[in-house]
Amino acid sequence: EVQLVESGGGLVQPGGSLRLSCAASGFTFSSYWMSWVRQAPGKGLEWVANIKQDGSEKYYVDSVKGRFTISRDNAKNSLYLQMNSLRAEDTAVYYCARDLRVLSKWGQGTLVTVSS
Amino acid sequence: DVVMTQSPLSLPVTLGQPASISCRSSQSLVHSDGNTYLNWFQQRPGQSPRRLIYKVSNRDSGVPDRFSGSGSGTDFTLKISRVEAEDVGVYYCMQGTHWPLTFGGGTKVEIK
């Protein structure tokens, strides 16, 4: 069974940093593009970033470019999102999802709250 | 960016009756590889999103056959032939053809 389990969320002050992780199991992680998608409280879904199988290509939504970095460790079947210079508007549940254009599987999400 | 517009915002439905959600894109979603990357997701209350339909009309494994997707170009529809109680939630369309990937604003399905 495909499983994606996010962790690393929490409360952080504006300007702070946080690193999210996503542990994958039940499929060949190294064969798939992976994505991060977020959902602000009570709002809709917003794609954040994705990364190619070997990490050689990465894409970001404009609002996080230069602040967030997506990465992966295929040996550990793990996806990461390093978030720096966090702002109040980054407050959201962050989901990791499998695939590039079709987002076939999603994790349960981890909540990031940016507040002083 | 491609704007995805869903309607209606809210859809009260009687159990056993059909429901239909529209999704329109500001540009054609036909990719240069010939595929149309229009997907539908269901988010039940308190849960993470779950994909129902990919590339317009392909139903995911385990998704009841009362769900169907159709459309082409810029106009797409998700239909539920007979709404059941477990179908309550918010439905999102998403385009994966153009960067950045974008979602519709969501349609909340509730039981009358």
Side-chain angles (χ1 to χ4, degrees), chain A residues 46-67:
Chain A
E46 180 184 39
W47 167 78
V48 174
N50 50 27
I51 185 169
K52 195 176 180 179
Q53 289 91 329
D54 61 0
S56 61
E57 292 182 39
K58 304 174 185 182
Y59 300 95
Y60 301 91
V61 69
D62 281 350
S63 59
V64 309
K65 279 180 185 173
R67 300 188 300 123

Side-chain angles (χ1 to χ4, degrees), chain A residues 38-95:
Chain A
R38 67 184 178 183
Q39 185 172 35
K43 302 296 184 183
L45 300 167
E46 180 184 39
W47 167 78
V48 174
N50 50 27
I51 185 169
K52 195 176 180 179
Q53 289 91 329
D54 61 0
S56 61
E57 292 182 39
K58 304 174 185 182
Y59 300 95
Y60 301 91
V61 69
D62 281 350
S63 59
V64 309
K65 279 180 185 173
R67 300 188 300 123
F68 289 12
T69 302
I70 188 172
S71 63
R72 64 192 297 161
D73 185 336
N74 288 340
K76 294 183 177 179
N77 291 337
S78 293
L79 176 71
Y80 306 102
L81 187 67
Q82 177 66 43
M83 305 186 295
N84 299 330
S85 303
L86 282 160
R87 307 166 179 165
E89 54 265 35
D90 296 317
T91 293
V93 174
Y94 285 74
Y95 299 101

Side-chain angles (χ1 to χ4, degrees), chain A residues 39 95 100-103 106-107, chain B residues 39 43 48 51 96-97 99:
Chain A
Q39 185 172 35
Y95 299 101
L100 174 61
R101 302 182 185 277
V102 293
L103 302 186
W106 297 56
Chain B
N39 311 295
Q43 188 172 31
S48 58
R51 194 181 70 180
T97 298
W99 297 112

